[in-house]
Amino acid sequence: MTKKIVAVLLAFGLTFSLMACGSSAGTQTGASGGTDEAQEEPAEETDVQEAQDEAQPESEGQETAGDVAEAVEDGAQGADLTGKKVGFSALMMSSEFFTDMSNQMEAYFTEHGMEYSVADANGNAQTQIQTVENFVSMGMDYIICFVVDASSISDSLIKAREGGAFIIVIGTVLDNKDAYDVCISISQNESGITEAKMAAEWIDATFPDAEDGSIEVGLLTNSENEDAVARCDGLREIVNFTSKAVIVEEHETTQAEGAAAGQTYAEMMLMNNPDLKVILTYGTDQGQGANEAVMKDSSINSEEFAVFTVDTAEFIRNKVKESANGTSVLRGTVMLGEGTPMTCYNLMDGTWSGRVKDKVYSEECIMITPETISEYFPE
């Protein structure tokens, strides 16, 4: 699939707000539903459940989601999911990131004839367990889970699979493989490293004659879980990608604090470090807040300042575009994969079953800058 086709799928949160990373309907990564891969003529007309029925004798009783996965791997690709129910257990809907993700999911899945529901875990492991149990009661055929706590969710997901649901876990590879059918894996450390590389390239291009250790960098980090720590460790690698960079200050934030905390801590760093030139942020909310802090400070030469982050919610994409004309300093973000809604759908219907290795589908980290954004998100 060409970049531009992927872009159309992605950016088009698509007309339908593809897949924002949130639990209301779709989030940042998304693709509309018209790629060549996604629209290839199905190998057979049956849906995933029918493929499952064919995959094992009736004497074995009701098939589980694990059986569905095996049937899909056996060739039931491009299954018709019209009328199937899919539920998204979002990490925290108060985050604009997850709201956007959910909106994109809703648009994408309903465009393909599926019934979509979202449930807010509100950052609480027990609440997420309840959302999964509720989805089972609702007869969900597919459950997508952005996990709050990997150690506590497995039992509930196992029960959901035993009840016939096909489970997709996003971001975290659970230790118990019986708890999911496919994990969409993202190297969080690599996402941070990619952001750091992007910032280093901007520093070298903007300050070609700067001395070693002369370009001050601030970090807005997060340590709420192992994945967050891994991403932030990647951010700190910026000093290894350009000798000009030096990290002078770091503040830790949480998902719940959102953009407001990003702005507050960025303002603190700017006050403490008048020569600060770059802020690296854990996620989109912090990136949005940092950008606002810089743009409201009239003492800063915005042409010589940059904010970077991870994920491609629409509001972040807009800020990246605006940085080209001087109305934003958010100069780059990291796109995680080809679009969450499209990826989930192609995993559910079997189209991408050949890409799954040991129940894991690995996403790529892609730099999105003013120079590259039109390749992935065309107007």
Side-chain angles (χ1 to χ4, degrees):
M1 168 183 310
T2 65
K3 289 182 179 178
K4 290 189 177 180
I5 291 177
V6 171
V8 171
L9 295 178
L10 289 170
F12 200 40
L14 283 191
T15 334
F16 62 130
S17 32
L18 280 186
M19 87 147 251
C21 194
S23 67
S24 76
T27 148
Q28 44 153 218
T29 55
S32 85
T35 68
D36 293 336
E37 289 179 333
Q39 293 188 349
E40 291 178 356
E41 185 174 344
E44 51 184 89
E45 295 291 329
T46 58
D47 62 14
V48 174
Q49 183 63 48
E50 291 172 332
Q52 172 187 2
D53 293 339
E54 295 176 2
Q56 69 177 36
E58 292 183 2
S59 61
E60 291 184 23
Q62 181 181 5
E63 293 98 2
T64 66
D67 299 320
V68 175
E70 290 181 11
V72 168
E73 290 176 358
D74 286 341
Q77 298 188 348
D80 182 6
L81 304 188
T82 301
K84 296 294 185 179
K85 297 180 180 180
V86 54
F88 175 43
S89 177
L91 181 67
M92 185 177 297
M93 285 301 287
S94 60
S95 167
E96 193 166 352
F97 169 79
F98 284 103
T99 298
D100 184 46
M101 175 179 282
S102 175
N103 288 336
Q104 291 181 33
M105 284 188 177
E106 182 174 30
Y108 193 89
F109 295 146
T110 57
E111 178 80 4
H112 286 73
M114 302 184 75
E115 296 182 27
Y116 175 79
S117 297
V118 61
D120 185 3
N122 198 29
N124 184 283
Q126 290 304 311
T127 300
Q128 184 161 66
I129 289 172
Q130 186 62 54
T131 68
V132 171
E133 293 175 351
N134 289 342
F135 280 154
V136 173
S137 299
M138 294 166 64
M140 290 295 166
D141 299 291
Y142 303 93
I143 297 175
I144 301 168
C145 190
F146 206 112
V147 174
V148 175
D149 178 52
S151 64
S152 63
I153 195 64
S154 291
D155 288 346
S156 296
L157 294 180
I158 289 173
K159 292 178 181 178
R161 290 189 72 221
E162 291 174 346
F166 186 97
I167 306 298
I168 296 178
V169 173
I170 298 178
T172 301
V173 179
L174 303 182
D175 291 336
N176 192 334
K177 293 184 182 297
D178 292 332
Y180 59 92
D181 290 278
V182 182
C183 172
I184 299 176
S185 177
I186 301 159
S187 171
Q188 296 297 339
N189 184 250
E190 184 62 28
S191 71
I193 287 175
T194 302
E195 180 181 335
K197 287 180 178 178
M198 189 163 40
E201 290 177 5
W202 180 85
I203 288 173
D204 288 337
T206 306
F207 307 101
D209 301 322
E211 297 180 357
D212 289 353
S214 64
I215 305 302
E216 297 185 358
V217 178
L219 272 58
L220 296 181
T221 59
N222 182 297
S223 64
E224 291 181 284
N225 52 57
E226 292 182 3
D227 287 340
V229 171
R231 179 183 293 182
C232 294
D233 283 344
L235 298 182
R236 299 183 184 97
E237 291 294 311
I238 187 171
V239 296
N240 294 322
F241 299 128
T242 176
S243 59
K244 298 169 185 175
V246 57
I247 298 173
V248 295
E249 193 165 340
E250 179 177 327
H251 290 282
E252 186 172 319
T253 65
T254 66
Q255 282 286 105
E257 290 177 312
Q263 181 171 342
T264 297
Y265 288 125
E267 290 171 349
M268 291 174 59
M269 288 194 291
L270 292 168
M271 182 180 298
N272 297 335
N273 308 277
D275 294 326
L276 193 71
K277 298 298 183 184
V278 176
I279 298 178
L280 303 184
T281 69
Y282 165 75
T284 53
D285 289 342
Q286 295 89 342
Q288 180 184 33
N291 180 65
E292 292 174 357
V294 175
M295 293 306 297
K296 67 182 288 189
D297 191 332
S298 59
S299 68
I300 295 175
N301 179 357
S302 60
E303 293 183 0
E304 295 185 348
F305 205 101
V307 174
F308 295 90
T309 191
V310 174
D311 287 321
T312 50
E314 183 177 6
F315 67 96
I316 289 297
R317 299 199 305 268
N318 290 338
K319 293 303 178 182
V320 172
K321 293 177 183 177
E322 291 169 9
S323 70
N325 60 31
T327 56
S328 164
V329 293
L330 208 159
R331 304 186 186 279
T333 190
V334 180
M335 182 169 71
L336 305 176
E338 298 170 90
T340 302
M342 179 183 70
T343 297
C344 287
Y345 188 89
N346 287 340
L347 291 172
M348 292 188 298
D349 81 347
T351 301
W352 286 0
S353 61
R355 303 186 184 189
V356 178
K357 305 300 180 186
D358 193 25
K359 304 187 78 171
V360 173
Y361 175 80
S362 298
E363 294 274 35
E364 179 185 0
C365 295
I366 303 169
M367 293 184 187
I368 300 296
T369 66
E371 295 74 30
T372 66
I373 193 167
S374 62
E375 297 179 46
Y376 299 94
F377 301 94
E379 297 293 341

